């Protein structure tokens, strides 16, 4: 909520002794505030523009006979620059902080407990743009207005999206917006984005402290918020790719103001207490105090609080718009890493590899190249089927795609073949046993989790031209389009829409004709997966790759039961079983995943066969060279 007072200084202070700036003869209260004003003087004029003035209240622009002033925190509002929790609850979070969800208070511990929480804010950083536009006395109102609007709503110059996407300069595969060939996928991306942005209507992030913050909605329809500051899971990064592939201004408007917010509130702009200049801050993830309690930037303990803590959005904004403020922030992080980074810091994280790679890429500084190489050698383990070292924080199975993406970035920048081998090994594991493109009964895993399947399979397809990987890309996008009515605007799902889908479209655009779907996807019905039928030709073997998940009541070391029948009798087949990797982190183990390589010999008779997997609750036929492979109920 913001209001404006528009008035004139009557210079009556000496007459009536008041210090009130707004005095008669004229003043007006208005519900809508603009963001510029113009003063006409005897020999010149001056327009003052402060973009987003009302949204970042309290602000003030004032003209006097011999001076002009712009105030970033106007005391005339009656408010203090106050970081106490009680003030924040009352002036910023209001309805959210005092509301309930399913009978429980939305705010951690309820509004009174939140309001009583001590605040450790040690200062404020809030970057503003201020335009002073002098002019001659002959300017007309239209030209004054045009210039002011250009300053508050700047024109943007962008390379042609088709050219930009083709260069690979964004850093990952990217297809330009293409409503002609992919209308369903483009509608899906637009629908997701509009759903996410609708959260600003439900809980507007405005005012000196909150303006520009990303939404942290977990469930858009319930208004149940997670208040962990910048839990954006890549939203702040990938919005720039959507801007680059389309040129649509809305993406820039979100990305630019979010970048400003991160630079002001999430990055320590000076050293104070346990925070050091150039370090991202950390604190209680359930409290909405953006300034945190300590620096937590992959340096002191080599771990990151959230995926929003990266310089990539600033790099992309600088490269795409020339915003030098973003470059200043990057340099702050550079200096912090030069001074404080140490390979021995534990636990180590691939997020650290991501940041070191970006720091190296900016000016090809060999000091950062050496840091990145050391961290890559620590994170990568080619003796592990995932390609990632299991001593990493939470083990190698925890968000495998999230770990492989920085390894891909490392290879892209350095050309180190170790990175390429690890990515291909990890993607191969994901295909056989890891993150599946499907989830049981719905698309929660595919669309709404922190899912990097699409981008990684796109990269692997680019390198290998393995048609199985292309099928994964096609299947993910197809499922998303078909399930668009169930779409939720959760930050968790943004990699699917903003990273995976545009990457997959780049390679689908080059394919002539339809792409074969996965042969069979089966979930258990009444504790049993229905049979699968396949046809064998005379004199030819049948080879099949199958992912399955055993029933939870099975022993974790149990072997899958594989039964192949022909003509009412069970026949002998060859098959090998691979268990999912047993990570050293017990809570992250997949003890029921299996991959089965099945072969029916060439000398077996021609005809229709039945495949049963009695102790599995999920079965996915990944590949089959049978003449036809289909669910049994189609017979």
């Amino acid at each position: 909520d913001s209001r404006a007072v528009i008035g004139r200084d009557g210079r009556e202070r000496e007459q009536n002794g008041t210090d009130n700036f707004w005095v008669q003869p004229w003043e007006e209260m208005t519900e809508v505030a603009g963001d510029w004003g113009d003063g006409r003087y005897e020999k010149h004029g001056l327009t003052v523009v402060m973009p987003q003035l009302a949204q970042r209240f309290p602000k003030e622009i004032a003209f006097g006979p011999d001076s002009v002033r712009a105030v970033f925190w106007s005391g005339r509002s009656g408010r203090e620059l106050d970081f106490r929790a009680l003030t924040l609850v009352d002036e910023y979070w209001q309805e959210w902080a005092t509301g309930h969800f399913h009978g429980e208070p939305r705010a951690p511990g309820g509004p009174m407990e939140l309001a009583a929480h001590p605040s450790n804010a040690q200062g404020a950083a809030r970057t503003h743009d201020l335009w002073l536009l002098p002019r001659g006395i002959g300017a007309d109102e239209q030209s004054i207005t045009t210039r002011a609007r250009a300053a508050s709503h700047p024109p943007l110059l962008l390379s042609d999206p088709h050219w930009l996407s083709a260069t690979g300069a964004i850093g990952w595969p990217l297809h330009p917006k293409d409503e002609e060939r992919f209308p369903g996928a483009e509608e899906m991306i637009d629908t997701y984005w509009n759903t996410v942005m609708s959260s600003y209507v439900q809980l507007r992030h405005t005012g000196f402290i909150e303006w520009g913050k990303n939404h942290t909605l977990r469930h858009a329809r319930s208004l149940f918020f997670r208040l962990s500051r910048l839990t954006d899971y890549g939203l702040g990064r990938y919005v720039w790719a959507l801007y680059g592939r389309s040129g649509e201004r809305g993406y820039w408007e979100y990305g630019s103001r979010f970048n400003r917010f991160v630079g002001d509130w999430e990055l320590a702009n000076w050293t104070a207490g346990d925070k050091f200049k150039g370090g991202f801050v950390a604190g209680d993830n359930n409290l909405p105090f953006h300034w945190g309690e300590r620096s937590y930037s992959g340096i002191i303990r080599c771990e990151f609080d959230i995926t929003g803590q990266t310089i990539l959005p600033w790099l992309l904004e600088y490269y795409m718009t020339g915003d030098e403020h973003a470059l200043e922030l990057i340099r702050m992080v550079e200096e912090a890493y030069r001074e404080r980074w140490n390979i021995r810091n534990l636990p180590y994280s691939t997020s650290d590899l991501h940041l070191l790679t970006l720091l190296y890429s900016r000016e090809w500084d060999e000091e950062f190249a050496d840091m990145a190489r050391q961290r890559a050698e620590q994170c990568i383990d080619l003796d592990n089927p995932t390609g990632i070292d299991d001593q990493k924080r939470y083990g190698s199975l925890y968000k495998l795609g999230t770990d492989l993406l920085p390894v891909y970035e490392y290879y892209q920048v350095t050309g180190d073949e170790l990175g390429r081998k690890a990515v291909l090994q990890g993607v191969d594991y994901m295909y056989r046993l890891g993150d599946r493109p499907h989830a049981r009964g719905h698309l929660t895993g595919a669309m709404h989790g922190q899912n990097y399947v699409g981008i990684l399979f796109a990269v692997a397809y680019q390198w290998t031209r393995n048609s199985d990987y292309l099928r994964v890309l096609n299947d993910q996008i197809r499922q998303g389009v078909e399930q668009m009515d169930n779409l939720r605007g959760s930050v968790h799902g943004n990699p699917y829409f903003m990273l995976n889908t545009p990457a997959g479209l780049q390679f689908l655009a080059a394919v002539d004709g339809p792409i074969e779907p996965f042969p069979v996807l089966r979930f258990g019905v009444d504790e049993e997966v229905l049979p699968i039928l396949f046809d064998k030709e005379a004199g030819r073997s049948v080879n099949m790759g199958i992912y399955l998940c055993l029933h939870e009541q099975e022993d974790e070391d149990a072997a899958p039961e594989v039964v192949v029948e022909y003509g009412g009798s069970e026949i002998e087949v060859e098959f090998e079983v691979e268990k999912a990797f047993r990570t050293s982190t017990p809570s992250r183990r997949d003890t029921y995943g299996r991959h089965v390589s099945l072969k029916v010999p060439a000398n077996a008779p021609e005809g229709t066969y039945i495949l049963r997997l009695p102790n599995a609750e999920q079965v996915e036929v990944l590949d089959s060279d049978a003449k036809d492979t289909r669910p049994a109920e189609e017979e």
Side-chain angles (χ1 to χ4, degrees):
D1 185 22
S2 61
R3 296 184 181 86
V5 179
I6 300 175
R8 181 168 58 215
D9 179 2
R11 284 295 171 186
E12 297 175 346
R13 291 189 181 124
E14 293 181 3
Q15 299 176 19
N16 59 25
T18 179
D19 289 329
N20 187 356
F21 192 74
W22 302 116
V23 295
Q24 294 298 327
W26 177 79
E27 66 177 13
E28 177 186 351
M29 282 288 295
T30 176
E31 296 292 323
V32 179
D35 51 15
W36 65 275
D38 182 77
R40 300 171 183 269
Y41 293 86
E42 183 178 353
K43 296 182 179 180
H44 68 277
L46 181 66
T47 306
V48 180
V49 186
M50 193 185 301
Q52 294 87 38
L53 181 147
Q55 294 92 325
R56 292 187 283 183
F57 61 83
K59 299 281 180 283
E60 179 180 325
I61 296 175
F63 297 86
D66 52 12
S67 65
V68 177
R69 70 178 181 182
V71 185
F72 296 133
W73 181 279
S74 175
R76 202 175 307 279
S77 67
R79 295 182 177 187
E80 295 179 306
L81 182 53
D82 184 351
F83 298 93
R84 289 173 296 181
L86 178 61
T87 305
L88 297 175
V89 169
D90 183 51
E91 294 187 359
Y92 282 94
W93 303 316
Q94 296 174 350
E95 183 179 351
W96 175 84
T98 57
H100 288 73
F101 176 71
H102 288 179
E104 297 293 328
R106 287 199 183 106
M112 297 309 296
E113 183 175 324
L114 180 60
H117 199 282
S119 173
N120 71 329
Q122 292 158 302
R126 177 47 105 181
T127 302
H128 295 76
D129 291 312
L130 179 66
W131 290 83
L132 304 177
L133 307 176
R135 59 177 177 78
I137 58 175
D140 60 83
E141 288 189 10
Q142 183 59 51
S143 63
I144 294 171
T145 300
T146 299
R147 287 207 307 165
R149 288 178 176 171
S152 63
H153 200 64
L156 299 174
L157 180 66
L158 182 70
S159 302
D160 179 83
H162 290 81
W163 177 86
L164 180 62
S165 299
T167 64
I170 293 293
W172 55 85
L174 185 69
H175 187 64
K177 186 166 185 177
D178 191 347
E179 294 176 298
E180 182 177 344
R181 281 183 289 183
F182 303 109
E186 297 297 351
E187 182 185 358
M188 177 179 68
I189 294 172
D190 290 346
T191 300
Y192 167 79
W193 183 253
N194 292 333
T195 304
V196 169
M197 290 298 101
S198 69
S199 66
Y200 277 102
V201 176
Q202 298 162 349
L203 178 61
R204 291 184 298 164
H205 296 288
T206 59
F208 185 91
I209 294 174
E210 289 287 278
W211 185 85
K213 179 179 182 290
N214 74 327
H215 70 94
T216 47
L217 270 175
R218 275 186 180 265
H219 307 293
R221 295 192 180 107
S222 69
L223 288 181
F224 183 58
F225 291 82
R226 174 179 179 180
L227 287 182
S228 53
R229 302 189 315 280
L230 294 181
T231 310
D232 74 324
Y233 297 111
L235 186 67
R237 310 180 194 188
Y238 309 132
V239 64
W240 291 101
L242 295 191
Y243 172 58
R245 72 185 290 266
S246 69
E248 293 175 359
R249 189 182 184 96
Y251 295 128
W252 170 83
E253 289 176 343
Y254 175 89
S256 181
R257 70 172 178 255
F258 185 32
N259 273 358
R260 285 289 178 94
F261 182 92
V262 175
D264 290 337
W265 296 113
E266 290 286 324
L267 189 71
N269 284 261
W270 58 88
T271 298
D274 292 331
K275 306 168 196 174
F276 55 83
K277 184 177 180 179
F280 290 99
V281 298
D284 186 337
N285 273 354
N286 295 309
L287 293 173
F289 303 128
H290 313 305
W291 39 89
E293 300 166 356
R294 64 191 183 282
S295 288
Y296 188 55
S297 65
I299 302 174
I300 292 179
R301 294 183 60 199
C302 277
E303 58 188 4
F304 277 61
D305 190 18
I306 44 179
T307 53
Q309 294 180 336
T310 171
I311 66 171
L312 181 56
W314 296 328
L315 276 173
L316 292 174
E317 181 172 21
Y318 174 65
Y319 292 144
M320 298 172 78
T321 71
D323 189 319
E324 294 193 1
H325 173 65
L327 185 59
E328 292 174 7
L329 298 170
I330 294 166
R331 286 172 174 159
M332 285 171 53
V333 177
E334 285 179 353
E335 292 308 309
Y337 261 73
R338 287 187 200 280
E339 180 181 347
R340 298 172 181 270
W341 186 83
N342 192 316
I343 185 63
R344 291 186 293 274
N345 289 339
L346 296 173
Y348 56 86
S349 165
T350 55
S351 295
D352 194 31
L353 176 61
H354 161 80
L355 189 51
L356 290 168
T357 297
L358 293 174
L359 291 174
Y360 169 54
S361 74
R362 197 178 72 78
E363 291 187 334
W364 309 113
D365 187 319
E366 289 301 318
E367 183 179 1
F368 288 121
D370 186 56
M371 293 179 190
R373 178 188 56 78
Q374 292 181 60
R375 185 64 80 209
E377 291 176 352
Q378 191 178 44
C379 292
I380 294 171
D381 179 10
L382 297 183
D383 291 328
N384 186 316
T386 68
I388 299 296
D389 183 74
D390 201 47
Q391 299 307 307
K392 178 196 69 70
R393 186 186 185 198
Y394 301 140
S396 58
L397 289 185
Y398 178 66
K399 298 181 180 178
L400 175 56
T402 308
D403 286 327
L404 290 173
L405 191 59
V407 176
Y408 161 69
E409 294 169 332
Y410 169 75
Y411 168 74
Q412 283 287 91
V413 169
T414 66
D416 187 339
E417 281 295 317
L418 180 67
R420 176 185 169 102
K421 290 176 181 177
V423 171
L424 288 175
Q425 189 162 305
V427 170
D428 185 50
Y429 182 85
M430 292 171 70
Y431 180 74
R432 300 189 323 273
L433 282 156
D435 293 339
R436 310 307 312 150
H438 309 97
R440 184 181 181 105
H442 51 74
L443 291 179
T444 300
M447 293 174 65
H448 302 301
Q450 295 170 55
N451 183 304
Y452 295 91
V453 169
I455 177 65
L456 291 167
F457 277 76
V459 167
Y461 175 73
Q462 183 181 33
W463 292 344
T464 66
R465 297 297 162 174
N466 184 332
S467 60
D468 290 334
Y469 297 163
L470 186 66
R471 187 165 51 184
V472 172
L473 298 176
N474 184 63
D475 200 60
Q476 262 213 335
I477 295 172
R478 177 186 57 80
Q479 284 190 82
V481 173
E482 291 175 353
Q483 297 290 328
M484 205 184 311
D485 290 343
N486 298 326
L487 188 150
R488 297 198 311 264
S490 166
V491 290
H492 285 74
N494 86 82
Y496 177 91
F497 301 95
M498 301 169 68
L499 179 67
N500 290 348
T501 299
L505 292 180
Q506 176 173 344
F507 301 106
L508 297 183
V511 176
D512 293 326
I515 297 172
E516 288 295 318
F518 281 90
V520 180
L521 172 66
R522 298 273 72 203
F523 292 109
V525 177
D526 296 330
E527 302 299 323
E528 183 179 353
V529 174
L530 294 176
I532 295 166
L533 305 182
F534 62 92
D535 293 337
K536 181 188 176 303
E537 298 179 88
R540 295 187 60 181
S541 63
V542 170
N543 298 277
M544 202 176 292
I546 304 167
Y547 166 80
L548 59 86
C549 182
L550 298 178
H551 283 301
E552 290 189 3
Q553 60 264 35
E554 293 285 327
D555 183 85
E556 64 179 30
D557 292 318
E561 299 173 21
V562 181
V563 179
V564 177
E565 299 175 355
Y566 174 76
S569 300
E570 185 175 342
I571 68 164
E572 204 170 303
V573 296
E574 302 172 24
F575 66 90
E576 295 180 357
V577 178
E578 178 187 5
K579 294 179 181 178
F581 175 72
R582 300 294 175 86
T583 177
S584 59
T585 307
S587 63
R588 306 296 179 184
R589 284 180 184 165
D590 175 9
T591 56
Y592 295 102
R594 303 287 189 270
H595 182 270
V596 176
S597 299
L598 173 69
K599 180 176 182 178
V600 180
N603 59 6
E606 177 183 15
T608 298
Y609 287 69
I610 299 176
L611 170 63
R612 303 182 192 277
L613 298 153
N615 63 344
E617 67 173 11
Q618 178 183 345
V619 173
E620 190 173 340
V621 179
L622 300 176
D623 46 75
S624 170
D625 59 10
K627 185 178 179 182
D628 188 19
T629 304
R630 58 198 181 278
E633 64 264 29
E634 290 185 4
E635 282 295 285

